[in-house]
Amino acid sequence: MEKIKHVIEISTDSSSMILAAGEQVYQCYYGKKIATPSQIVDGYTEMVPAYSAFGGDDSTAALRLTHANGDLSTELVYVRHAAERMDANITETTVELKDRCYPVYVTLHYRAYAAEDVIEKWISVRHTEAEAITLNEFPSAELSFSSLHNHYYLTTLNGLWEREHNLSEEQLQIGKKVLDNRYGTWSSFGSNPSFMLSLNEPATEDAGQVIAGALAWSGAWKISFDYHLGKLFHDNKERRVLSVVAGINDFAADYKLDPGQLFTTPTFMQSYSGNGKGELSRKIHRWARKYSLRDGDKERPILLNSWEGAYFTFGEETLLSMMDGLNKMDGEMFVLDDGWFGNKHPRNNAAAGLGDWQVNNKKLPNGITALCDAAEARNLKFGIWVEPEMVNPASELYENHPEWVIHQPNREKILYRNQLVLDLSNPEVQDFVYDSVASILVDSPKIAYVKWDCNRSFTNIGSSYLPADRQSHLWVDYTNGLYRIYDRLVENFPNVMIQACASGGGRIDYGILKRTQEFWTSDNTDALQRIFIQWGTGYIYPAIAMAAHVSACPNHQTGRVVPLKFRFDVAMSGRLGLELAPKEMSDDELAFVKAAVADYKRIRPTVQFGDLYRLISPYGSNFAALSYVSEDKTKAVAYAYAINHMLGNLLPQLTLKGLDPQKHYLITEINKSNGDAHITCDGKVLRGDILMNHGLKVNLESEYDSAVFELTEA
Ligand code: GLA
């Protein structure tokens, strides 16, 4: 065992990560906070590399690079470390490493957020070899566990378009489990770049040790769980090591790094809870609202998006009538979706127009500014849809710049939704995309919101901008190019909100959320299926960012018929919006919507800034229930849904969580569609301990019956 010279503690209020540096740097511990880290190092023999490299006797390594002379190996040794307190809550630690033989320098970065128990990790690489080195595998972080734990249970969010973020859990076996995504433009179809990992036994909502991780990257990514037999020590005992390695996907993505150039990976967030998955989600949500989501402290408006209510078929009159309807419901923002642009190639369907970001003069002769004014006159803000990373071959943009699309010159240009992806590795294309969006915002300065869509992934990847030996840079340079565009927009239009859309749930990650206020959770607006999609998404992402819209009935995706109340009760557990045509609704429905909108405005701070408690999982149950509790525990809102009708069902007993046991709460059922309450104590005051131990019997009689309860300290 080599001599340890430094103990490096990276801690938060209730977790510790302990590194030890001798000649190399090891991770000795990550888990519940420890007061005397040096004792752990003294008494410990099973240290795992803090960030391993392929070289020496390490064959299962995180970092793999090829030196200028062709040497495939790297051995990282400790140089120095330093910690800096950024403010009362944040401490940044850097650990500098160097290859034993070559001038290649790797810095490990750790940013610890004390109150939220979050540690962000990333690395940076530079070198002064004579010529470029090649980064073959360059993950952001490694997180390893030695035989301290007997079993690991991995929870992931999986799914495709319109069925995003299904929850699954499995026990890790010896071998390698890889989660990845190779779409290029999307981060969260297939799997979301995040996970929870229970130690020893599956954590429940309220018990068990569990770790979460999430990668802040909106392109291709990879997270691997390599559970292997570690090196045998002198005592011949079997050692099991689990190495979690997370970063940009290295598949076909070799990256040449010139001498002096700095390569910085995206950040990887990890958090720990000793009290189950519920607490872990709450920590991540608090961290996100404060540090990793734009305007996490500002309430989101109730908006109506025109898509499902109008699709491509509208003129000014249709839009004005939607605004009138929204105004009558006391909504706050109208968002004009796809179909408003293109003249030579009008965007009247998905076949033409992408790339030509000028208003369609036939459909909207008075332009966007007139719509903004019309919205303002109705006391509404105005938002607009764009998909600026894309181009239809039927567009003036493509006629002028066919070389700007991602393609291989000798191969077919494969179309998806009739469109091609613009090559954002090219700075000229980045400028075009920036200018396209910026000029819309400059021409109509009252635009308050942009829905930024992205409806396809890479195929036959190639760039006419990148040199032949750097074609594989496209994966990384595309996403960094996208971030550059976003960052310029955010800087120059700080008051314009942005929604990350991407065919619904295709871009839900903490890379994009640093630059946007919310995401379109799914193109699937079926309220029943949304319960599952929102349930999974909420493991890692907060409700304030989760756009949830009430749509028409029968549902346009599934044909399901459910009551308007059920649709509202589901959407009101996220960032409420509407996706319907008010003029097709009856007076009774409009009156219901108006009342629900008023209710949402009242509970909005609790939903959007409160702590999430998952009460009854929809998986394996006939019911689902969740709640939000304000930080000071004076307010709460709870939701219960019947998702499956079984005759003879036991009615759910809704035992609440997170309240103050000693406070008294007034319980009011809201959104009552026919005036009947689902509980006997509607309008009564009960103490927190009763609500949390005995709970409420909720009389949910049939499928798609639902109830929402508002609790206020009495
Ligand atoms: C994608 C989005 C939808 C809508 C359409 C418009 O599918 O996810 O919400 O904006 O594009 O074409």
Side-chain angles (χ1 to χ4, degrees):
M1 190 72 215
E2 71 183 77
K3 193 167 157 20
I4 295 304
K5 297 182 195 129
H6 308 279
V7 175
I8 306 168
E9 186 188 357
I10 295 156
S11 62
T12 64
D13 285 355
S14 25
S15 73
S16 300
M17 188 163 75
I18 296 163
L19 309 181
E23 201 201 6
Q24 298 181 47
V25 181
Y26 301 93
Q27 181 200 307
C28 310
Y29 177 81
Y30 177 53
K32 192 177 166 74
K33 178 112 171 179
I34 270 167
T36 52
S38 58
Q39 287 184 2
I40 261 206
V41 176
D42 291 344
Y44 213 84
T45 52
E46 292 179 51
M47 306 204 215
V48 282
Y51 187 82
S52 56
F54 176 64
D57 64 353
D58 225 336
S59 56
T60 54
L63 180 74
R64 186 167 68 81
L65 59 85
T66 308
H67 297 273
N69 67 0
D71 186 338
L72 297 173
S73 59
T74 297
E75 291 175 275
L76 295 175
V77 295
Y78 171 85
V79 180
R80 67 175 78 81
H81 75 278
E84 193 184 342
R85 208 164 165 140
M86 312 307 284
D87 62 32
N89 194 43
I90 302 176
T91 306
E92 268 190 38
T93 306
T94 50
V95 181
E96 287 180 40
L97 311 173
K98 180 192 170 300
D99 185 75
R100 202 191 291 281
C101 308
Y102 297 92
V104 172
Y105 308 90
V106 174
T107 306
L108 312 182
H109 301 263
Y110 301 87
R111 188 184 290 146
Y113 299 85
E116 296 79 18
D117 287 320
V118 164
I119 300 173
E120 267 186 305
K121 301 162 49 164
W122 70 100
I123 69 146
S124 52
V125 188
R126 68 186 172 85
H127 71 95
T128 54
E129 293 194 16
E131 283 167 53
I133 64 170
T134 306
L135 302 176
N136 307 109
E137 296 178 43
F138 39 94
S140 300
E142 183 167 6
L143 173 64
S144 295
F145 304 91
S146 63
S147 354
L148 201 58
H149 311 289
N150 294 325
H151 304 289
Y152 301 94
Y153 295 84
L154 178 66
T155 305
T156 53
L157 305 173
N158 314 300
L160 295 170
W161 178 59
E162 294 201 333
R163 51 163 307 177
E164 295 85 351
H165 292 172
N166 287 268
L167 207 54
S168 72
E169 183 164 59
E170 67 193 278
Q171 182 175 1
L172 289 178
Q173 305 296 335
I174 292 289
K176 200 168 188 174
K177 162 98 188 170
V178 178
L179 302 174
D180 79 342
N181 166 312
R182 295 179 186 174
Y183 291 117
T185 56
W186 294 324
S187 54
S188 47
F189 285 141
S191 301
N192 188 270
S194 65
F195 62 88
M196 283 193 183
L197 185 74
S198 302
L199 309 177
N200 291 320
E201 55 200 0
T204 63
E205 280 301 315
D206 303 310
Q209 295 193 67
V210 55
I211 284 160
L215 185 73
W217 185 245
S218 312
W221 56 270
K222 183 167 99 176
I223 304 178
S224 55
F225 301 82
D226 190 354
Y227 193 21
H228 55 274
L229 302 179
K231 280 177 228 156
L232 291 179
F233 288 71
H234 60 278
D235 56 5
N236 268 351
K237 288 208 177 95
E238 187 184 90
R239 311 284 168 172
R240 289 178 183 215
V241 178
L242 171 65
S243 302
V244 183
V245 173
I248 293 174
N249 200 329
D250 48 68
F251 177 78
D254 279 358
Y255 206 92
K256 288 229 156 45
L257 192 66
D258 290 321
Q261 196 188 341
L262 183 74
F263 185 93
T264 304
T265 68
T267 57
F268 170 79
M269 176 286 302
Q270 68 185 51
S271 183
Y272 166 86
S273 168
N275 303 309
K277 293 173 184 166
E279 183 183 88
L280 190 54
S281 293
R282 291 188 284 279
K283 288 180 186 200
I284 299 169
H285 295 168
R286 284 184 176 209
W287 167 79
R289 286 194 299 265
K290 200 152 173 205
Y291 298 109
S292 212
L293 168 72
R294 271 185 76 199
D295 298 330
D297 57 350
K298 290 198 187 122
E299 285 186 12
R300 306 304 196 237
I302 300 169
L303 59 84
L304 183 144
N305 182 52
S306 69
W307 182 239
E308 287 194 27
Y311 293 106
F312 290 106
T313 314
F314 57 82
E316 211 175 77
E317 248 173 55
T318 316
L319 304 181
L320 295 184
S321 116
M322 287 177 126
M323 289 184 201
D324 283 334
L326 181 61
N327 172 248
K328 282 194 200 123
M329 301 163 175
D330 296 328
E332 296 164 329
M333 184 191 286
F334 175 76
V335 179
L336 171 56
D337 206 286
D338 200 353
W340 59 267
F341 50 90
N343 286 297
K344 183 172 171 197
H345 301 280
R347 181 77 171 169
N348 291 327
N349 50 49
L354 282 180
D356 299 348
W357 299 105
Q358 293 78 37
V359 70
N360 179 311
N361 297 322
K362 248 198 191 148
K363 269 180 167 170
L364 302 171
N366 299 310
I368 298 299
T369 305
L371 292 174
C372 293
D373 292 339
E376 193 177 59
R378 289 159 181 80
N379 209 12
L380 301 169
K381 292 195 163 140
F382 185 85
I384 198 160
W385 180 96
V386 292
E387 193 183 1
E389 296 159 68
M390 302 289 162
V391 61
N392 287 124
S395 67
E396 292 181 68
L397 174 63
Y398 189 74
E399 285 162 6
N400 297 330
H401 287 291
E403 79 287 5
W404 276 5
V405 301
I406 290 178
H407 73 290
Q408 278 296 340
N410 302 320
R411 299 188 194 279
E412 187 197 347
K413 285 180 179 145
I414 299 171
L415 298 178
Y416 273 100
R417 211 190 189 212
N418 316 299
Q419 66 198 54
L420 296 158
V421 188
L422 292 174
D423 175 7
L424 296 192
S425 72
N426 182 345
E428 223 187 320
V429 180
Q430 291 172 21
D431 285 345
F432 169 81
V433 172
Y434 172 82
D435 290 340
S436 303
V437 182
S439 54
I440 297 169
L441 300 177
V442 168
D443 289 351
S444 303
K446 287 181 190 159
I447 294 177
Y449 174 103
V450 169
K451 173 175 174 176
W452 183 301
D453 213 336
C454 169
N455 283 312
R456 69 156 289 176
S457 56
F458 291 177
T459 44
N460 277 345
I461 85 156
S463 160
S464 55
Y465 169 76
L466 293 168
D469 68 336
R470 294 179 184 215
Q471 289 288 304
S472 52
H473 288 204
L474 188 56
W475 303 93
V476 171
D477 290 356
Y478 183 92
T479 304
N480 280 331
L482 178 71
Y483 287 162
R484 220 163 284 138
I485 298 164
Y486 262 103
D487 291 343
R488 275 173 80 186
L489 286 168
V490 169
E491 195 184 327
N492 295 331
F493 303 93
N495 300 321
V496 176
M497 290 178 68
I498 307 181
Q499 180 191 70
C501 175
S503 300
R507 225 179 232 168
I508 302 179
D509 63 77
Y510 279 117
I512 210 71
L513 286 176
K514 277 184 195 139
R515 297 156 170 104
T516 55
Q517 279 82 353
E518 61 176 35
F519 49 82
W520 179 223
T521 317
S522 174
D523 268 358
N524 186 344
T525 57
D526 177 314
L528 174 69
Q529 298 188 6
R530 269 300 187 109
I531 289 177
F532 289 84
I533 294 171
Q534 293 171 193
W535 187 268
T537 306
Y539 267 62
I540 306 287
Y541 303 96
I544 187 173
M546 203 186 295
H549 293 185
V550 174
S551 60
C553 185
N555 180 267
H556 292 190
Q557 291 82 42
T558 63
R560 195 186 310 275
V561 174
V562 302
L564 185 62
K565 169 177 165 55
F566 185 76
R567 284 176 270 151
F568 261 94
D569 286 358
V570 173
M572 282 168 73
S573 71
R575 193 283 279 137
L576 174 68
L578 311 169
E579 191 87 21
L580 28 78
K583 75 169 188 321
E584 282 160 24
M585 300 175 76
S586 68
D587 288 346
D588 281 357
E589 286 177 325
L590 290 174
F592 179 83
V593 177
K594 190 171 166 142
V597 164
D599 282 345
Y600 187 76
K601 286 181 183 167
R602 213 175 47 250
I603 62 172
R604 173 162 51 189
T606 312
V607 177
Q608 298 192 355
F609 308 130
D611 282 324
L612 167 69
Y613 288 85
R614 290 181 287 263
L615 305 174
I616 304 174
S617 168
Y619 288 87
S621 164
N622 296 316
F623 302 100
L626 69 157
S627 72
Y628 297 98
V629 179
S630 67
E631 205 175 329
D632 63 5
K633 298 186 185 292
T634 59
K635 289 193 166 67
V637 49
Y639 306 79
Y641 312 105
I643 60 177
N644 195 3
H645 188 208
M646 303 287 282
L647 289 175
N649 251 354
L650 279 180
L651 293 176
Q653 189 75 14
L654 198 67
T655 40
L656 296 174
K657 292 179 184 173
L659 303 174
D660 181 335
Q662 293 173 18
K663 283 195 193 327
H664 289 80
Y665 296 90
L666 170 68
I667 301 154
T668 319
E669 181 167 350
I670 61 173
N671 278 0
K672 282 183 281 195
S673 59
N674 54 9
D676 290 345
H678 289 85
I679 47 172
T680 48
C681 57
D682 188 24
K684 299 212 170 107
V685 171
L686 287 178
R687 233 173 88 111
D689 59 349
I690 295 181
L691 289 163
M692 291 196 290
N693 293 303
H694 176 275
L696 307 170
K697 177 70 80 192
V698 187
N699 193 14
L700 293 179
E701 291 201 338
S702 59
E703 207 167 31
Y704 313 134
D705 199 357
S706 57
V708 183
F709 308 106
E710 186 181 356
L711 282 78
T712 316
E713 188 182 6

